[in-house]
Amino acid sequence: VIYGDGKQTRDFAFVKDVVKANMLAMQKNVEGVFNIASGQSTSINELAAKIIELAGKDFEPVYTDERPGDIKHSLADISLARKKLGYEPEYSLDEGLRVTMGWYRSESRNRNV
């Protein structure tokens, strides 16, 4: 289910990149607020298409009313994290999705689901 028209954008980060950023912050002993993301904008429609393709499925998302107060576009400025932490995302959205879906597939097999 996609809320709204799916043209809204987000900046997705893979969890290993977030962990890396936290480790860098501890190692460098810095304080502050840092945006940790990919620095790339992806629409919800693009995300859905990538997930459907990686899952090997053939279906269309179901669209419903947008959620009240939902922002249309979100893109993180990661320049401070780059400067102070030396942070650089290592995983693209595609790679992060492949790793995540691979993990879920292996977990399903392990649980005989």
Side-chain angles (χ1 to χ4, degrees), residues 11-78:
D11 187 343
F12 297 99
F14 187 55
V15 67
K16 287 186 177 185
D17 281 333
V18 176
V19 170
K20 174 185 158 187
N22 280 281
M23 298 297 292
L24 287 168
M26 288 187 296
Q27 291 165 357
K28 294 187 182 277
N29 197 28
V30 297
E31 294 182 11
V33 177
F34 302 93
N35 290 324
I36 304 302
S38 68
Q40 301 291 317
S41 184
T42 303
S43 77
I44 302 304
N45 285 330
E46 291 172 306
L47 176 66
K50 288 175 186 292
I51 292 171
I52 291 167
E53 179 183 341
L54 286 169
K57 302 295 180 184
D58 185 24
F59 61 86
E60 294 294 320
V62 174
Y63 293 87
T64 190
D65 295 337
E66 66 182 51
R67 293 185 273 192
D70 198 8
I71 60 172
K72 292 290 183 189
H73 303 287
S74 176
L75 176 61
D77 177 358
I78 61 173

Side-chain angles (χ1 to χ4, degrees), residues 92-106:
S92 67
L93 177 61
D94 289 349
E95 182 61 22
L97 287 172
R98 276 193 289 278
V99 171
T100 300
M101 292 185 77
W103 182 86
Y104 276 106
R105 285 183 179 124
S106 68

